[in-house]
Amino acid sequence: MESCWVQSATERTGVQSYNRSMNAPHRPVRPIQALSDQLISQIAAGEVVERPSAVVKELLENALDAGATQITARLEQGGVKRIAIIDNGRGIAPEQLPLALARHATSKIASLTDLENVASLGFRGEALASIASVAQLTLTSRTADGAHAWELSGTPGATPTPSSGALGTTVDVQDLYFNTPARRKFLKSEQTEFGHCAEVVRRIALSRPDVSFSLSHNGKTIDHWNVTEIAKRSAHILGNDFAEARLALEETAGPLRLHGFVGLPTASKARADAQYFYVNGRFVRDKLLTHAVRAAYQDVLHGDRYPSYVLALDLDPALVDVNVHPSKIEVRFRDSRAVHQFVFHAVSRALAQTSATAFGTVPAPIPPKPTALPWMREQQQTTFSAQFAHGAGVAQTTAQYGALFSDTGTVPEARDPALENLHVTLNPSVQLLPQDEYPLGFALAQLHGIFVLAQNKSGLVLVDMHAAHERILYEQLKNALDADAMQVQPMLIPVTFYADGIEVGTVEENQDTLRALGFDIAVMSPTTLAVRAVPALLKNADAQSLARDVLREVREFGGSRVLLERRNELLGTLACHTAVRANRALTIPEMNALLRQMEATERADQCNHGRPTWVQLALSDLDKLFLRGQ
């Protein structure tokens, strides 16, 4: 009996033919030949002219390279119908106009040395040629010594003709992709394409506040920015919310300079759509720089929120390669690690200086090392109502508050042991500023055992006492660990607890890591561990819970990774254990001790989970709530 699986010759031929069609599509055989200049330009246009916004970018960069101080961008139908960029730059001489439209022709580089030290924005020498290959392009330009302007169309073989026009250059691009209709199918709606173009204009306008920009769409002016400084330009483009919740940054280290503004963590956004980073004036989306900034915000940003910032990094052009991507939006640094560390530490230091509310007002900072001044002076024996005549009075006198800063450096009536570590820093060697210069003011009362109510010069301050204390402890733990000065508190009676074999093994294998973190944990038996010492800052926390948390982190990530990569997460967990809990009744001196320590602590505006620790309600805000003056 013959098998039913035997294929006929016809079937085998059909299967072979099908396999050939799947693996090797049929193509006509052609000899090797050189491509035409037009086709080469159209291929290049696939990289350079991805969408209308790419045309806008290239033309704006050329205008800035030409020294323009006024630039107008006019778009129609999202840039597909028309893109016209008008500038008042140096202009192009008539004999140079044909070269401006030629492939790989540029005035910006002439040698390999120039390519390795690029100081201009556009330089590849193919933008105009690529645009002209997929659109109707007209170039009109006039130089300072020209009697009139000259015009040149982008069609092959065209020659310049006399024209009218002011000093500068106008590039008029119409009917984008008219000769490659398949490319148009990949474009989005008119509004979407215009949105991309408008974003490009905003990015470039942010980088050059010394240049005025105007943007119109379908005959309607959308934006106009006059010449100004970066503070006003960034406020205009990113909005008042950013302007009222930002910190200025200016740092230099060797050949590196970083300047601009970083947004307060409390003004973060759900999307990363307000992040502008420039390298030598060029907008970039570089993973290394983005990571450096994100890392600086790591323990002040809540959840999946994104910070807002406008930052510019200036350095020697020889130290950065800007020619690694056709659109030049990515860069490569010669010493990427040094750049990353510089940006990270610069942004971290800026954020560490914050003493602002969630609404963006920035109180005066406290000097770091003031000279000693006596707190109690005769003229200070007045009530706070006299000090803040514009607001409600406070029952306590300055004498009562002054008792907080007695010569002993201790706080009277400090009933909560969780706050004992706050008292150490309150000693006579610390200058006490005039009362109206304390950013967080002085405590009035406690609300529901959760919030501290305080009065400062501006109005009412609300403090989340647990979140604030958590940040204070967290920063103290970080500083102690960084300085290799973690003070240890021996236990009067070691705390023993049951442990499984893995926990016991973790203790035996990671004694150095545990000691570095301030823990002395001993193996008493195959199933018993004893906590003999804990960090002094955490002495009032539950020793067993602290030990289990530390062992869990060390077991999961390893001792070296815990100290390097997971350090902040672990310290944040430990700080949370010790921070004063809700429903703890605090005395007025204890509340004031918390306020003073917040003022002296870096990043005290947020807990280490990124949530705000305090907010300000100005008197004007309170007036609005009660319709006063209306």
Side-chain angles (χ1 to χ4, degrees), residues 234-469:
S234 59
H236 193 167
I237 293 178
L238 273 69
N240 289 332
D241 289 345
F242 177 76
E244 294 175 358
R246 65 184 179 185
L247 299 163
L249 187 156
E250 173 77 41
E251 289 223 15
T252 302
L256 305 176
R257 174 179 177 245
L258 185 68
H259 54 100
F261 297 96
V262 290
L264 292 173
T266 45
S268 60
K269 306 183 69 175
R271 297 187 302 167
D273 58 354
Q275 300 181 346
Y276 297 86
F277 210 116
Y278 301 86
V279 175
N280 287 346
R282 184 190 311 279
F283 175 82
V284 298
R285 287 203 181 281
D286 184 80
K287 293 180 180 178
L288 179 138
L289 298 175
T290 301
H291 181 273
V293 176
R294 183 75 185 183
Y297 276 91
Q298 177 177 286
D299 59 4
V300 293
L301 211 57
H302 180 55
D304 294 327
R305 306 285 293 179
Y306 295 91
S308 301
Y309 52 83
V310 179
L311 293 171
L313 176 65
D314 299 333
L315 72 166
D316 187 340
L319 301 179
V320 57
D321 183 2
V322 297
N323 196 28
V324 298
H325 191 276
S327 64
K328 301 183 289 292
I329 202 167
E330 298 176 8
V331 294
R332 182 184 294 119
F333 296 101
R334 180 171 295 180
D335 190 344
S336 58
R337 178 175 175 79
V339 171
H340 181 281
Q341 290 298 98
F342 170 68
V343 172
F344 166 73
H345 288 296
V347 176
S348 295
R349 280 189 287 269
L351 294 175
Q353 299 302 313
T354 65
S355 184
T357 70
F359 301 101
T361 53
V362 181
I366 297 178
K369 290 185 179 180
T371 56
L373 288 177
W375 165 248
M376 299 303 297
R377 290 183 176 178
E378 183 176 353
Q379 63 268 31
Q380 290 178 323
Q381 302 299 320
T382 58
T383 64
F384 279 104
S385 56
Q387 290 292 327
F388 304 115
H390 61 280
V394 182
Q396 286 78 15
T397 64
T398 53
Q400 291 172 287
Y401 283 111
L404 183 65
F405 305 98
S406 62
D407 291 339
T408 62
T410 61
V411 178
E413 302 179 49
R415 294 195 300 265
D416 192 336
L419 288 174
E420 288 179 6
N421 61 328
L422 293 177
H423 309 159
V424 177
T425 59
L426 303 177
N427 57 64
S429 66
V430 178
Q431 177 191 14
L432 298 171
L433 302 178
Q435 296 165 18
D436 61 352
E437 292 187 25
Y438 282 105
L440 297 181
F442 294 94
L444 304 174
Q446 189 179 19
L447 181 65
H448 287 290
I450 300 173
F451 301 103
V452 171
L453 278 66
Q455 173 180 297
N456 67 356
K457 184 177 181 180
S458 300
L460 178 67
V461 173
L462 293 174
V463 177
D464 182 332
M465 65 184 194
H466 173 76
H469 195 201

Side-chain angles (χ1 to χ4, degrees), residues 383-556:
T383 64
F384 279 104
S385 56
Q387 290 292 327
F388 304 115
H390 61 280
V394 182
Q396 286 78 15
T397 64
T398 53
Q400 291 172 287
Y401 283 111
L404 183 65
F405 305 98
S406 62
D407 291 339
T408 62
T410 61
V411 178
E413 302 179 49
R415 294 195 300 265
D416 192 336
L419 288 174
E420 288 179 6
N421 61 328
L422 293 177
H423 309 159
V424 177
T425 59
L426 303 177
N427 57 64
S429 66
V430 178
Q431 177 191 14
L432 298 171
L433 302 178
Q435 296 165 18
D436 61 352
E437 292 187 25
Y438 282 105
L440 297 181
F442 294 94
L444 304 174
Q446 189 179 19
L447 181 65
H448 287 290
I450 300 173
F451 301 103
V452 171
L453 278 66
Q455 173 180 297
N456 67 356
K457 184 177 181 180
S458 300
L460 178 67
V461 173
L462 293 174
V463 177
D464 182 332
M465 65 184 194
H466 173 76
H469 195 201
E470 187 176 4
R471 166 58 74 176
I472 293 168
L473 288 172
Y474 175 54
E475 292 295 329
Q476 290 175 338
L477 287 169
K478 284 200 302 183
N479 292 337
L481 190 57
D482 288 341
D484 194 20
M486 186 72 75
Q487 294 185 5
V488 174
Q489 175 66 49
M491 309 292 290
L492 184 61
I493 301 176
V495 175
T496 60
F497 60 93
Y498 172 81
D500 58 31
I502 297 178
E503 288 178 319
V504 171
T506 301
V507 170
E508 292 175 338
E509 296 169 6
N510 295 276
Q511 279 295 317
D512 290 342
T513 299
L514 295 174
R515 278 194 292 269
L517 292 168
F519 288 88
D520 182 0
I521 303 176
V523 177
M524 305 303 293
S525 77
T527 59
T528 306
L529 294 176
V531 182
R532 299 190 297 197
V534 296
L537 292 168
L538 307 178
K539 62 183 180 181
N540 295 307
D542 182 80
Q544 180 178 333
S545 297
L546 289 176
R548 288 194 181 279
D549 280 339
V550 169
L551 294 179
R552 183 173 56 251
E553 289 281 327
V554 173
R555 179 176 69 247
E556 183 174 354

